[in-house]
Amino acid sequence: MDHTHHTRLSGNELTSDILDGATIYGADDEKVGKVSHLHGSQVVIDVGGFLGIGAKPVAVPADKLDFMRDETGDVHAVTTWTKAQLKDMPEHQD
């Protein structure tokens, strides 16, 4: 996916209402997970699984994700982490 024409979200747009369910794209532009929810200044990402079943929640700092909207208004984020790196992170417990 070419992200060069996508609009970056401003800080006041980084809310649960906007980010929940957003797709996260990794280092090779592969889909690596989806935003589950926000936990303070962290974003909890569901990694792996199939149709939400068996996914592992991991928490990452929000500033390590580049959130944006595509041409149709869908919100997504880009990170330098791969799916394997995210899966290796500790499981998030609320």
Side-chain angles (χ1 to χ4, degrees):
M1 175 183 290
D2 181 8
H3 303 283
T4 57
H5 297 292
H6 297 169
T7 306
R8 301 304 187 266
L9 297 185
S10 64
N12 64 345
E13 293 180 289
L14 301 180
T15 66
S16 289
D17 289 342
I18 294 174
L19 301 183
D20 285 0
T23 300
I24 309 296
Y25 292 93
D28 297 326
D29 208 35
E30 70 170 319
K31 291 181 183 180
V32 296
K34 287 201 172 278
V35 174
S36 169
H37 62 282
L38 302 182
H39 189 87
S41 63
Q42 296 187 314
V43 177
V44 179
I45 302 171
D46 285 336
V47 182
F50 181 70
L51 299 175
I53 299 170
K56 176 183 176 182
V58 298
V60 299
D63 64 356
K64 299 295 183 184
L65 299 168
D66 189 9
F67 284 99
M68 59 192 78
R69 288 184 200 280
D70 65 16
E71 297 86 356
T72 64
D74 288 334
V75 173
H76 61 281
V78 177
T79 184
T80 57
W81 288 307
T82 65
K83 185 181 282 190
Q85 289 171 317
L86 288 169
K87 283 183 177 181
D88 285 343
M89 292 181 178
E91 185 170 344
H92 173 74
Q93 304 288 327
D94 275 326

